[in-house]
Amino acid sequence: MKVCEICGKGRTSGNNVSHSMRHTKTTFDPNIQKVNVELDGKKGKKNICAKCLKTMKKETK
C-alpha cells in the first residue's frame, strides 16, 4: 500500500470538478519514496512521503 511509515499518510478521496461543475470521484495518492534511512539506530529501507523526507533533511543540517 502507499502509506508513509513515519506519519501514516495514505490515500485520500475527493472529486474531480470539470468546467461545467460536474463531479466525478477520484483518489489522491501521497508522494511515497523508498529511501535508505537510519531510524532509532537501525538502518533499512522505508517507504516515506516526500514531506517527511524534506523534514528529515532539515533536521540533519
Side-chain angles (χ1 to χ4, degrees):
M1 287 187 59
K2 292 195 170 197
V3 177
C4 178
E5 294 181 18
I6 294 178
C7 66
K9 184 186 289 187
R11 178 179 277 180
T12 58
S13 61
N15 288 309
N16 278 332
V17 182
S18 69
H19 181 68
S20 64
M21 298 303 288
R22 215 178 157 108
H23 290 63
T24 56
K25 288 287 186 185
T26 187
T27 57
F28 300 100
D29 292 325
N31 186 1
I32 300 292
Q33 307 292 323
K34 190 172 272 191
V35 182
N36 283 321
V37 179
E38 184 178 344
L39 292 174
D40 303 326
K42 297 179 182 176
K43 291 184 180 179
K45 285 192 176 181
K46 300 282 184 185
N47 292 322
I48 300 175
C49 68
K51 191 170 185 177
C52 289
L53 188 61
K54 187 175 177 182
T55 304
M56 288 172 64
K57 285 186 179 180
K58 268 190 203 176
E59 291 173 353
T60 59
K61 283 187 175 181

